[in-house]
Amino acid sequence: MRKMTKAVGVLLGFAVAAIACAAQAPAGASQSPIAEIGAKPVYERDIAARIQGRLIQLQSQEYQIKKQALESYIDDQVVADEAKAGGVTAEALVVREVDAKIPQPTDDAVRAYYVAQPNLQGRPFDEIKDQLRQSLRSALVAKARKDYIAALRAKANVQVLLDPPRFHVTYDPARFRGNPKAPVTIVEFSDFQCPYCRGVEPTLRQIQQKYADKVSFAYRDFPLRSIHPQAELAAEAARCAQDQGKFWEYHDLLMADPPRLDRNSLAADAATLHLDAKQFDSCLSSSKPAAVVQQDLDAGEALGVNGTPGFFVNGVALSGNQPLAVFEQAIREAIESSQRSGRTAGRR
């Protein structure tokens, strides 16, 4: 089993201690001051709002470290158990059952591998053929080992019971779609000017189609003002469309590629949806939409969101434009966790 470095262990210790203190101290409880400004004491509760988001990030990092260590341990253990049953070492077992069964790639396979890597096209094939053959076989062995260990895990009936940190994430019912009774809710913090947010849209549509009864969606604004100058106005325009009952339709127009987010284009999109032009313009010119967008930003920052798109799958953080398989894994884990909680509650 791989060991964590001393530095990681120390960091983890500080993170856990800080989170535990924040979680265990009752609101309004008397604490020793951590600083004094003249005669005025400063308490931990005075800085809680400033560090909450970062503590949540540390919680998520702590879970990832634990999960990686756990997965590695389980992999090593199922191989060791299989090897012991066969009276061989773990290394000998893997070599016999995996490595020895992977033949050297044929010339045709090596050439196809070469053609599939444009960065190698400037080098003559014959010059690097042997290196490519070795590299391709190593890749095939690595995949075969992964598949073999997966089979051993299934045979051993491995169940991972380590739950990720789960956070209470609220959402606006007016920006919610899907089955309200679905066991999984995905809350997205997003930015209309963010290319990664647009990039993940096809994946989210796939999830909507494939898991129509099991997954619902909610949207929250998180315009990255410092790098996306049009994101704020676009978020405000979507709120104005929401006032007229067309948030999701307007959202889908704004997520088109390439985006058109200047004020004239935002008004044109409103006209496409037959929104009341005067009401839309009046709303966009007021301070109301900016205030509610700021509420979403504040909520996201408190949850540790620092980039877009940021997701919470039943309260479990998932960051970035992830492939469908990653979302599906998160959905499965959310459903399994819910089922485990139900079984545990039933035994009480």
Side-chain angles (χ1 to χ4, degrees):
M1 183 177 69
R2 301 178 182 88
K3 295 181 180 179
M4 290 188 295
T5 65
K6 183 177 180 181
V8 171
V10 171
L11 172 63
L12 212 52
F14 280 124
V16 173
I19 295 164
C21 288
Q24 292 174 7
S30 175
Q31 299 180 38
S32 300
I34 57 175
E36 292 182 348
I37 304 173
K40 181 182 178 181
V42 179
Y43 297 94
E44 283 193 25
R45 62 176 176 267
D46 296 321
I47 64 170
R50 299 177 183 229
I51 64 174
Q52 180 179 338
R54 280 174 286 176
L55 289 180
I56 284 177
Q57 290 173 356
L58 284 173
Q59 248 185 311
S60 296
Q61 291 170 17
E62 177 198 0
Y63 167 73
Q64 289 300 328
I65 292 171
K66 285 182 178 179
K67 183 179 180 182
Q68 289 171 11
L70 177 61
E71 293 290 345
S72 175
Y73 177 85
I74 291 172
D75 288 350
D76 291 346
Q77 193 62 49
V78 294
V79 172
D81 290 346
E82 185 74 6
K84 183 178 180 180
V88 296
T89 66
E91 182 179 356
L93 173 71
V94 172
V95 169
R96 184 187 72 195
E97 297 297 325
V98 181
D99 299 18
K101 296 180 180 180
I102 306 297
Q104 286 292 339
T106 64
D107 286 349
D108 287 344
V110 174
R111 183 171 289 279
Y113 183 62
Y114 168 76
V115 171
Q117 301 183 67
N119 61 309
L120 297 178
Q121 299 306 303
R123 301 181 63 183
F125 173 71
D126 289 337
E127 179 184 300
I128 59 174
K129 179 172 65 176
D130 291 340
Q131 296 175 9
L132 289 175
R133 193 186 309 278
Q134 182 179 355
S135 177
L136 177 56
R137 186 175 185 278
S138 295
L140 293 172
V141 167
K143 182 181 183 306
R145 285 188 174 201
K146 183 177 180 180
D147 292 343
Y148 178 67
I149 291 174
L152 291 181
R153 288 173 65 124
K155 176 183 174 182
N157 192 27
V158 171
Q159 296 184 57
V160 175
L161 305 179
L162 177 68
D163 272 335
R166 198 175 304 277
F167 309 106
H168 178 62
V169 186
T170 60
Y171 57 84
D172 180 357
R175 290 175 292 155
F176 176 94
R177 63 178 166 190
N179 176 10
K181 296 183 179 180
V184 178
T185 298
I186 298 177
V187 181
E188 177 186 12
F189 284 83
S190 188
D191 173 318
F192 287 111
Q193 198 177 349
C194 165
Y196 303 105
C197 299
R198 294 196 304 280
V200 79
E201 280 296 302
T203 301
L204 299 182
R205 286 194 290 272
Q206 282 182 277
I207 295 171
Q208 291 170 34
Q209 294 169 1
K210 188 173 181 179
Y211 299 93
D213 295 330
K214 294 183 178 179
V215 180
S216 58
F217 293 85
Y219 183 94
R220 300 200 69 169
D221 292 301
F222 203 82
L224 302 175
R225 296 162 174 160
S226 61
I227 58 174
H228 296 152
Q230 294 180 315
E232 172 73 27
L233 187 63
E236 293 177 19
R239 294 305 189 99
C240 293
Q242 176 183 335
D243 285 350
Q244 297 190 47
K246 291 291 182 70
F247 170 77
W248 284 111
E249 294 86 346
Y250 198 80
H251 163 279
D252 293 344
L253 286 177
L254 295 188
M255 283 298 182
D257 199 3
R260 301 177 306 130
L261 303 178
D262 60 278
R263 180 142 187 164
N264 288 338
S265 295
L266 294 173
D269 285 339
T272 298
L273 296 176
H274 306 292
L275 300 183
D276 184 292
K278 185 176 180 180
Q279 180 183 341
F280 181 84
D281 184 68
S282 175
C283 171
L284 197 54
S285 299
S286 73
S287 60
K288 176 187 172 184
V292 289
V293 168
Q294 184 61 50
Q295 290 175 3
D296 274 10
L297 267 169
D298 292 342
E301 289 175 354
L303 288 164
V305 177
N306 58 7
T308 54
F311 300 93
F312 288 87
V313 183
N314 275 13
V316 176
L318 178 65
S319 298
N321 178 5
Q322 300 289 346
L324 178 62
V326 173
F327 278 100
E328 290 185 319
Q329 178 66 24
I331 291 167
R332 284 195 297 271
E333 290 177 356
I335 293 173
E336 289 168 3
S337 176
S338 177
Q339 291 172 342
R340 284 199 302 271
S341 298
R343 289 194 296 268
T344 303
R347 289 196 295 267
R348 290 175 183 170

